[in-house]
Amino acid sequence: SEDDEKFYACSPYSAAPEQAIRSSLRVTPNTDLWSVGTMLYEAFSGESVFDVRDEAFTLEEKEALQEFSKENRVFAKFQIRLAQYYRGQIKIRDLNEVCADTPLPSPVVKLIMDTWLKAQPKDRKAFQSISFLEKAIHQIEEGLNPAQGSSYRAIKTVSEIPTTSKE
């Protein structure tokens, strides 16, 4: 159908949760933040943010997936997982577990991924410009919390990193 074509215009691997549920929410720059976050996650882990292996689905979900052709089943799997995530029924795969045998990304990349992979678009934070992001990255790499001048461990969310100039 025409609605299916609109939804599948994006990659199922990087589609935002609001796209999967075909909500009335507009596609915004925060939708793009989700997509970049999923790409960073996959680049560092080699895995997708959700477990979409057949054995990860319930019997009921597997039966529902049989309605789709083999080619469309991957889209359907991601659509199920994204909708569940959007509704708070599941979580993103823990990066520490997925990357058990490989080094984790730098703290700033992990922080950005964690912030950009929020289920609700309004909860995804963006920097107003590349220069603000570069300043925050430099300060974090120096072991400082850009918002408070303390150690990196104090940073919990990107919202603690200033995104506006006070000059």
Side-chain angles (χ1 to χ4, degrees), residues 145-160:
N145 177 333
Q148 300 167 346
S150 59
S151 72
Y152 169 75
R153 295 171 213 257
I155 297 176
K156 300 284 189 247
T157 67
V158 169
S159 64
E160 295 177 42

Side-chain angles (χ1 to χ4, degrees), residues 5-160:
E5 290 172 15
K6 287 179 185 174
F7 172 74
Y8 294 132
C10 59
S11 166
Y13 300 103
S14 60
E18 60 272 20
Q19 291 173 295
I21 63 165
R22 300 178 186 165
S23 73
S24 61
L25 294 172
R26 288 183 26 229
V27 174
T28 67
N30 285 353
T31 305
D32 294 335
L33 291 177
W34 170 274
S35 295
V36 173
T38 62
M39 288 183 251
L40 284 171
Y41 185 102
E42 190 166 343
F44 282 100
S45 70
E47 302 283 339
S48 68
V49 294
F50 301 113
D51 188 351
V52 293
R53 296 171 296 135
D54 287 338
E55 57 268 21
F57 288 87
T58 66
L59 185 57
E60 185 179 323
E61 290 168 337
K62 287 178 186 176
E63 288 173 4
L65 287 167
Q66 293 306 313
E67 297 176 25
F68 296 90
S69 67
K70 192 169 185 164
E71 304 83 52
N72 290 329
R73 205 165 291 150
V74 70
F75 292 100
K77 286 179 175 183
F78 271 90
Q79 189 173 8
I80 288 170
R81 289 296 184 243
L82 285 163
Q84 290 169 333
Y85 183 62
Y86 186 83
R87 294 182 188 112
Q89 298 168 326
I90 65 169
K91 294 183 180 191
I92 287 176
R93 296 166 72 187
D94 186 327
L95 197 59
N96 293 315
E97 292 173 17
V98 175
C99 292
D101 298 328
T102 59
L104 284 171
S106 72
V108 71
V109 172
K110 175 109 171 56
L111 182 66
I112 290 170
M113 282 191 308
D114 290 347
T115 303
W116 288 355
L117 293 174
K118 299 288 186 196
Q120 301 295 322
K122 66 180 176 47
D123 295 331
R124 298 178 205 138
K125 303 286 184 208
F127 291 92
Q128 290 183 351
S129 72
I130 291 295
S131 65
F132 290 116
L133 177 58
E134 287 174 337
K135 287 178 187 176
I137 289 170
H138 177 71
Q139 289 177 323
I140 290 171
E141 287 173 346
E142 295 294 318
L144 300 174
N145 177 333
Q148 300 167 346
S150 59
S151 72
Y152 169 75
R153 295 171 213 257
I155 297 176
K156 300 284 189 247
T157 67
V158 169
S159 64
E160 295 177 42

